[in-house]
Amino acid sequence: MSLKRRDFLGIAALSSATLVTGKATASEAPAHNPDALGVLVDTAVCSGCRKCEWACNRTHELTDRPMSTFEDKTVFELHRRPDRDAFTVVNQFIAPENPEKPYAIKVQCMHCLRPACVSACIVGALEKTPEGPVIYDAWKCIGCRYCIVACPFQIPAYEYDEALAPEVKKCSFCYERVVKEGKLPACTEICPNEALTFGRRDELIDIAHSRIKNHPGMYYDHVYGEHEVGGTSWLYLTPTDFKNTELPDVGTEVGPDITEPIQHGVFKAFVPPLALYGLLGLAMHQFKGEKDKAEETE
Ligand code: SF4
Ligand code: SF4
Ligand code: SF4
């Protein structure tokens, strides 16, 4: 049986990931971990088949719909976001360089290296693991939803209609499968086009730059996530400037560096939660809005 490169990278990465122990939070600015995991999303080869959506939904028991129902391409008429019933979605975008050919882009939690959601959570319900995934503990969560406000990618969703024990929902990077069971993330395992490469983040960055160099004209010369918000575990290659895609221009500043001083000050002064929402919202608005402001001025 031949081993695909995607599988090899995953298995090699998993072997070393099991050796990593200990915990870190965003505010502790964990030291660089060369074995940390990631996924490289190559939007130039993604066909938009939505099999990754189905695999994620099935693995996390979000649906019992058959795969055939995910072949519906009319969903691309909408701009969808991950939500409580879909931890990942595939959308379409048009590259101005080639308007006849629509491209597809998979969206999910970016598993930031310095996650604003972890920083914003006052009870430690979100945790950046040393292996890479940002995971959530529903038992610790008090439902304040600061994480939702803080996330620069607008990823965490909330079960507003759950009266008794609503939870925050987002992609877990298949933490149980990947770190505990030594498997690939369900979405990367099923992708038929190898648009999703799972492996060590450092190695994926090298692969991404090699693809850009070796395929002139195929990619925009930027690996999205290498530096955005201080770096993310999920990385993207795009055939056009990422600003023509779903990927937000969040800059390279680390989110927690903006929100943490506010929170620490707030808790010293015991400011009520609604005021904190406002302050965090303002901070994140400023964090995300630098580019928009510049464009508006122009
Ligand atoms: S399974 Fe792969 S090719 Fe299909 S939509 Fe998802 S990322 Fe794209
Ligand atoms: S994308 Fe949002 S939810 Fe995911 S780790 Fe980053 S800040 Fe947290
Ligand atoms: S890593 Fe797991 S939880 Fe995240 S999008 Fe892929 S299948 Fe879903």
Side-chain angles (χ1 to χ4, degrees), residues 182-194:
K183 297 179 182 170
L184 300 175
C187 55
T188 71
E189 187 175 57
I190 202 169
C191 178
N193 291 358
E194 300 200 22

Side-chain angles (χ1 to χ4, degrees), residues 143-172:
C144 68
R145 285 158 283 153
Y146 295 161
C147 55
I148 294 173
V149 180
C151 174
F153 299 98
Q154 300 172 20
I155 293 297
Y158 194 64
E159 294 180 313
Y160 285 100
D161 55 348
E162 283 288 335
L164 292 180
E167 295 180 10
V168 171
K169 295 288 184 182
K170 72 169 194 71
C171 156
S172 64

Side-chain angles (χ1 to χ4, degrees), residues 52 55-56 60 87-88 106 108 111 171-174 185-187 234:
C52 51
C56 180
H60 298 284
F87 300 162
T88 185
K106 176 186 182 300
Q108 71 298 301
H111 298 276
C171 156
S172 64
F173 206 155
C174 284
C187 55
W234 282 62

Side-chain angles (χ1 to χ4, degrees), residues 56-237:
C56 180
N57 279 28
R58 186 196 56 172
T59 300
H60 298 284
E61 299 177 349
L62 304 177
T63 186
D64 53 7
R65 287 163 52 199
M67 188 189 281
S68 58
T69 64
F70 284 76
E71 289 165 8
D72 174 17
K73 300 292 165 58
T74 61
V75 294
F76 293 147
E77 291 164 13
L78 298 171
H79 170 87
R80 297 179 301 148
R81 297 297 304 164
D83 62 31
R84 54 165 291 178
D85 300 317
F87 300 162
T88 185
V89 294
V90 178
N91 286 328
Q92 260 187 358
F93 67 92
I94 299 291
E97 298 88 342
N98 189 5
E100 302 302 314
K101 178 185 185 314
Y103 288 94
I105 184 165
K106 176 186 182 300
V107 183
Q108 71 298 301
C109 172
M110 299 290 284
H111 298 276
C112 309
L113 303 190
R114 298 281 311 279
C117 59
V118 173
S119 167
C121 181
I122 57 178
V123 293
L126 285 151
E127 177 196 340
K128 176 68 177 174
T129 63
E131 297 90 349
V134 173
I135 57 174
Y136 168 74
D137 185 344
W139 286 98
K140 292 182 183 169
C141 178
I142 56 172
C144 68
R145 285 158 283 153
Y146 295 161
C147 55
I148 294 173
V149 180
C151 174
F153 299 98
Q154 300 172 20
I155 293 297
Y158 194 64
E159 294 180 313
Y160 285 100
D161 55 348
E162 283 288 335
L164 292 180
E167 295 180 10
V168 171
K169 295 288 184 182
K170 72 169 194 71
C171 156
S172 64
F173 206 155
C174 284
Y175 180 76
E176 293 294 323
R177 282 174 61 95
V178 169
V179 177
K180 301 281 174 66
E181 299 169 23
K183 297 179 182 170
L184 300 175
C187 55
T188 71
E189 187 175 57
I190 202 169
C191 178
N193 291 358
E194 300 200 22
L196 307 173
T197 307
F198 171 73
R200 291 191 191 96
R201 180 179 183 271
D202 284 359
E203 193 176 350
L204 294 176
I205 289 171
D206 291 343
I207 290 171
H209 284 292
S210 297
R211 284 190 196 172
I212 292 169
K213 189 176 164 201
N214 297 333
H215 301 278
M218 189 165 171
Y219 300 105
Y220 181 65
D221 188 7
H222 182 90
V223 180
Y224 186 91
E226 183 175 2
H227 300 297
E228 273 71 19
V229 292
T232 58
S233 302
W234 282 62
L235 306 155
Y236 284 78
L237 279 172

